[in-house]
Amino acid sequence: MEFYPRNKFLLVEPVEEKKAEEKSSAFLLPEDYKKTETHKLMRIVRVCPGSEYSPTSLKSKLVLVPTHTVEAIKVKEQTIYLVPENVVCGLFLES
């Protein structure tokens, strides 16, 4: 089943980033402590009609978005990630 975004939403997927080695800290933190990310790198999969991020006008499909704006929706054992078009902070050029 394929999903087509509407109303200025972008269908995206998370980009897996390599984790840096953890440095030991001078402070003791709880075992379940998790550093929160404020922004996330996402890859554009599909855009809504009339989007400024149309595939023909993009040189890159990697975008930086605030983490709290990413909506993860489960539909029939599939996770769909949606981001409003107006929250994209910028584009990354792939080399």
Side-chain angles (χ1 to χ4, degrees):
M1 184 181 330
E2 293 201 35
F3 180 81
Y4 293 87
R6 295 290 186 258
N7 295 324
K8 302 258 184 199
F9 276 92
L10 303 173
L11 177 62
V12 294
E13 62 185 12
V15 174
E16 297 298 321
E17 298 180 33
K18 295 177 185 173
K19 292 187 177 184
E21 290 182 23
E22 292 184 24
K23 296 179 182 177
S24 59
S25 174
F27 300 99
L28 291 177
L29 299 172
E31 288 180 14
D32 60 347
Y33 174 78
K34 206 173 177 185
K35 185 178 178 184
T36 57
E37 297 176 337
T38 57
H39 290 79
K40 185 115 178 106
L41 190 61
M42 306 294 277
R43 182 177 314 282
I44 297 175
V45 176
R46 193 170 287 139
V47 300
C48 65
S51 171
E52 68 179 273
Y53 298 101
S54 66
T56 55
S57 67
L58 281 182
K59 291 181 181 173
S60 169
K61 291 188 174 191
L62 294 178
V63 292
L64 185 68
V65 298
T67 307
H68 72 276
T69 62
V70 178
E71 295 182 44
I73 304 164
K74 284 207 173 244
V75 177
K76 292 191 177 187
E77 300 176 10
Q78 178 183 4
T79 303
I80 296 170
Y81 296 95
L82 293 176
V83 175
E85 191 175 278
N86 64 333
V87 299
V88 172
C89 297
L91 302 169
F92 281 96
L93 295 177
E94 292 183 272
S95 49

